[in-house]
Amino acid sequence: MLLNVRMELAQDIGTAPYAICGDQTIRNFAKMRPSTGARLANIDGVNQHFISRFSGTFIQNITQLSKELNLPLDNSPSPPPTINPAVENIAGVSKPVQNNLPGILGDAKLTAWELWQKQEFSFLKIAYFRRAVPIKEQTVIAYILDAAREGCELDWSRFCREVGLTPEIASGIRLAIAKVGSRDKLKPIKEELPENVTYDMIKTFLTIEGRGLSEQIFSNAPASSHASEASGNDNPADGVQAADACDANPSAKRGQTDGMVGSAEEPAMKLQKIEEHGVESSGTTSATEESVLELVASRDGVLLDDVVKHFNGSKRESVVDILDSLESEFEIYKKNGKYMIM
């Protein structure tokens, strides 16, 4: 919401949003929720120019938004929120005690890790835990992966099962990385993979590799997930054993479909071949980050249903995944139910 305020200010004075203040400063505003200019001035990233020109607008919006969301000002202890009735009642669960954990992580990440690892909460339950407004499940997953990268213990078998990362998909991601030649950016890797492979799966795989656990976790995966296919072997049990670390019941896998990998010649190509501008010969249009950005930029706000309808060659969940990724990278933002370009 504060990003929207910054965007409107930038448009009013004809400047870029980051020229007003940085994203981290906005995050600090959201976390601290200062009620006065003096308190706002104590936040990192706020200078005298900002105070003189924009403090009044931000204080007014912070106060109003905090009231609407039932959040206290000045980073006071928050009252117990109303839990979404669709989610299992978890209000009685005590706040995790974070002992002997890496100090570099924030409270939110450590809490998410401990709820998942020690109390075995689902991603959805953590998203709603003690929050008036839930966070996204993708954010919860990112928090837990950050904790793992800092050395926190993780049940990788369960984590892979819940995000849907199987040995076959891991093999496809590995091949996609080799084809791209870099793992610095997720988007090029994602574009070499089928639509059912999510950013969460890629991030999980990269974290496992970064921790040096790939061989241990995927030790039972075939060197090439399409080797049996090339030899005409139709029995998946010959290529993939129990794979305890990441094996899962198909019904529990997030967005997984059969036949992820196409052929030995093009091991990591998408299931749907996207031609120029993402339009296939059948007249359907598939979503990529570039094409979604282009659509949002060409309109004065676009609804999710309109984006899904436009990219009729992609599943709704794939479109939502791309929009969430773009929003998390501050390429787009959402206002009044519409996606808009930053």
Side-chain angles (χ1 to χ4, degrees):
M1 294 176 177
L2 293 178
L3 287 172
N4 291 343
V5 172
R6 185 184 66 170
M7 174 62 70
E8 291 173 357
L9 277 174
Q11 291 174 343
D12 287 344
I13 64 177
T15 189
Y18 64 81
I20 294 177
C21 64
D23 293 340
Q24 186 57 51
T25 303
I26 293 291
R27 293 189 186 98
N28 290 337
F29 290 170
K31 180 179 180 181
M32 303 301 295
R33 299 182 296 281
S35 62
T36 66
R39 290 182 180 274
L40 185 141
N42 289 327
I43 293 177
D44 288 341
V46 175
N47 56 29
Q48 189 58 44
H49 174 73
F50 182 92
I51 292 294
S52 61
R53 292 201 63 182
F54 308 118
S55 62
T57 300
F58 274 93
I59 291 297
Q60 179 181 354
N61 279 277
I62 289 170
T63 301
Q64 180 61 34
L65 294 172
S66 297
K67 182 178 180 181
E68 292 175 2
L69 297 172
N70 193 30
L71 293 172
L73 294 170
D74 300 320
N75 201 23
S76 306
S78 57
T82 302
I83 303 298
N84 189 315
V87 179
E88 181 180 350
N89 182 16
I90 58 175
V93 178
S94 59
K95 185 177 181 179
V97 178
Q98 302 147 357
N99 296 322
N100 302 319
L101 297 177
I104 193 172
L105 292 171
D107 288 342
K109 295 180 180 180
L110 287 175
T111 298
W113 170 80
E114 192 159 77
L115 288 172
W116 191 88
Q117 175 70 15
K118 296 189 176 181
Q119 302 196 35
E120 299 189 351
F121 276 29
S122 67
F123 298 138
L124 180 62
K125 288 177 70 174
I126 297 171
Y128 278 88
F129 183 72
R130 295 179 182 270
R131 291 183 174 92
V133 179
I135 60 177
K136 296 177 181 178
E137 288 184 68
Q138 290 92 336
T139 303
V140 174
I141 292 170
Y143 283 173
I144 298 170
L145 289 176
D146 282 345
R149 281 190 284 269
E150 292 300 327
C152 292
E153 178 187 3
L154 204 66
D155 181 352
W156 286 110
S157 174
R158 176 181 160 225
F159 196 89
C160 289
R161 185 165 59 247
E162 292 196 11
V163 300
L165 179 60
T166 65
E168 297 94 331
I169 292 178
S171 178
I173 295 173
R174 186 180 291 109
L175 290 169
I177 292 172
K179 185 172 182 179
V180 171
S182 171
R183 60 186 65 202
D184 295 337
K185 294 185 178 180
L186 300 182
K187 182 168 66 174
I189 299 172
K190 179 76 168 67
E191 290 179 348
E192 292 297 328
L193 293 164
E195 290 187 356
N196 63 289
V197 179
T198 66
Y199 280 102
D200 291 332
M201 296 177 190
I202 299 172
K203 292 174 184 176
T204 300
F205 175 82
L206 291 175
T207 303
I208 290 172
E209 287 243 310
R211 298 279 294 152
L213 300 172
S214 184
E215 184 176 352
Q216 174 186 339
I217 293 175
F218 304 118
S219 59
N220 291 324
S224 173
S225 60
H226 35 273
S228 61
E229 186 177 289
S231 63
N233 185 355
D234 294 327
N235 185 3
D238 293 338
V240 183
Q241 300 301 323
D244 179 67
C246 286
D247 194 16
N249 186 301
S251 63
K253 297 173 184 175
R254 294 159 56 91
Q256 179 183 345
T257 60
D258 293 334
M260 189 205 81
V261 181
S263 67
E265 291 75 15
E266 296 291 342
M269 290 299 290
K270 295 184 176 181
L271 290 177
Q272 298 182 1
K273 177 72 175 178
I274 300 175
E275 298 178 355
E276 188 177 3
H277 303 301
V279 180
E280 299 182 0
S281 58
S282 62
T284 59
T285 306
S286 296
T288 64
E289 287 200 355
E290 288 89 346
S291 60
V292 171
L293 267 176
E294 184 178 349
L295 174 67
V296 176
S298 68
R299 303 188 185 183
D300 186 20
V302 57
L303 296 170
L304 172 59
D305 287 343
D306 292 335
V307 179
V308 173
K309 187 183 299 183
H310 180 83
F311 295 107
N312 53 1
S314 297
K315 294 181 180 178
R316 183 185 182 91
E317 61 187 24
S318 299
V319 175
V320 171
D321 188 33
I322 291 174
L323 287 168
D324 286 343
S325 175
L326 291 172
E327 193 173 3
S328 68
E329 295 172 1
F330 298 100
E331 297 281 355
I332 62 175
Y333 69 100
K334 199 172 183 179
K335 181 179 180 182
N336 298 329
K338 294 185 176 181
Y339 289 97
M340 308 184 77
I341 201 77
M342 289 291 284

